[in-house]
Amino acid sequence: MRTILQAENLEKTYRVGRVDVPALKNVSLEVEEGEFLAIMGPSGCGKSTMLHLLGGLLTPTSGRIIVDGEDLTAASDAKRTDIRRRKIGFVFQRFNLFPTLTAEGNLRLAESIHSAGKDDPERRREVLRLLRLEDKMHHKPLELSGGEQQRVALARAVVTRPAIILADEPTGNLDSENSAIVLNMFQELNYRFNQTIVMITHNPEAAAMCKHIVQMRDGQIVEPAQNVQM
Ligand SMILES: Nc1ncnc2c1ncn2[C@@H]1O[C@H](COP(=O)(O)OP(=O)(O)OP(=O)(O)O)[C@@H](O)[C@H]1O
Ligand SMILES: [Mg+2]
């Protein structure tokens, strides 16, 4: 097994006015290639902060992050962006879709940013089909329901086949039917293509579909990588 994502002694303190808000306190984590990991824990415990650090969207106050052998924390801004675009697909807690583009246009934009401009209509259709969005591909975000927008955001994160998918509550706004579609897609990507997935979730049923669960509390990992009993 190969470690594809590694956090060493991560600390993150936000500064709000003159007040320091410690959001992560000395967190270390190793994620193997092909892992499907759930991160759970109460609101405000630092889950999103952790995921944004792992994905190079935030810089830590101290500590190190290694993505597929490359040190994110030692890299320049440009290099960090490059690593992120080559290796990581990010699903945000809020969708962040481009409002003037259609569902398919949002995927095409991701391809142009992440895959060195590769235009792959077949792949776009395949991903939209997996997420049952094939008849919505020409809709813009405001012409989609919340659940459909979330599925487009997911399609966008996976269309470029990133080695690592980081997903912040991907089923948070979805009903059980939509959640099942999303979770089945993750399982399929994980089993079929060995894509590594780290997913924040509040939902025990979603976590039960993962291979391991990490519990966080108050800026720390309290239960490292317990095995999910199937
Ligand atoms: N940009 C920011 N500036 C200041 N404080 C922040 C910022 N982002 C998060 N925090 C604080 O850091 C802590 C951790 O926030 P984080 O968003 O990581 O929690 P979370 O576990 O993802 O919560 P939730 O389950 O509600 O999404 C919280 O106390 C939050 O208020
Ligand atoms: Mg969060």
Side-chain angles (χ1 to χ4, degrees):
M1 278 301 218
R2 193 169 74 93
T3 300
I4 193 160
L5 187 56
Q6 190 174 0
E8 280 176 10
N9 307 110
L10 276 191
E11 306 254 352
K12 180 68 184 178
T13 300
Y14 295 105
R15 190 143 193 140
V16 181
R18 291 194 193 157
V19 182
D20 282 341
V21 181
L24 276 192
K25 305 165 190 166
N26 197 27
V27 171
S28 296
L29 179 71
E30 271 190 37
V31 181
E32 307 268 291
E33 188 173 28
E35 173 65 281
F36 188 3
L37 181 71
I39 299 180
M40 301 190 81
S43 182
C45 72
K47 304 180 297 297
S48 293
T49 301
M50 171 85 164
L51 210 68
H52 284 81
L53 287 168
L54 291 176
L57 296 164
L58 272 179
T59 48
T61 307
S62 63
R64 270 199 337 155
I65 299 151
I66 318 280
V67 176
D68 202 8
E70 299 187 84
D71 189 338
L72 266 193
T73 25
S76 65
D77 283 356
K79 177 75 183 161
R80 190 166 59 241
T81 302
D82 175 60
I83 297 170
R84 177 158 50 81
R85 287 179 175 168
R86 278 187 290 114
K87 309 272 183 183
I88 293 171
F90 210 100
V91 184
F92 293 93
Q93 198 165 4
R94 291 171 203 83
F95 322 130
N96 294 349
L97 290 174
F98 214 83
T100 58
L101 295 176
T102 64
E104 202 207 1
N106 270 278
L107 268 53
R108 174 77 197 97
L109 179 66
E111 285 177 340
S112 68
I113 293 172
H114 290 262
S115 312
K118 185 162 184 270
D119 182 3
D120 192 346
E122 267 307 299
R123 170 71 177 168
R124 291 201 292 276
R125 263 196 294 280
E126 183 199 350
V127 170
L128 288 170
R129 201 165 41 234
L130 266 178
L131 288 163
R132 314 248 178 95
L133 286 164
E134 58 269 63
D135 57 336
K136 299 290 161 76
M137 62 193 277
H138 301 303
H139 289 232
K140 292 177 183 165
L142 286 175
E143 300 158 355
L144 296 165
S145 74
E148 289 164 348
Q149 288 180 47
Q150 178 63 311
R151 280 183 280 145
V152 174
L154 224 69
R156 179 184 55 182
V158 303
V159 72
T160 56
R161 296 190 176 83
I164 304 165
I165 297 165
L166 303 177
D168 198 344
E169 292 195 50
T171 62
N173 303 293
L174 302 181
D175 60 21
S176 57
E177 192 185 334
N178 276 305
S179 296
I181 294 172
V182 164
L183 292 168
N184 287 336
M185 185 204 62
F186 274 167
Q187 280 202 318
E188 178 140 347
L189 295 176
N190 182 247
Y191 285 135
R192 251 178 54 198
F193 304 110
N194 205 35
Q195 280 177 294
T196 305
I197 302 171
V198 180
M199 171 176 85
I200 295 174
T201 183
H202 285 288
N203 178 352
E205 283 169 33
M209 294 181 83
C210 297
K211 292 177 178 167
H212 295 96
I213 303 176
V214 157
Q215 293 282 355
M216 289 184 67
R217 204 167 303 270
D218 198 16
Q220 291 179 307
I221 291 178
V222 287
E223 280 184 41
Q226 84 211 66
N227 238 315
V228 176
Q229 302 298 318
M230 289 295 195

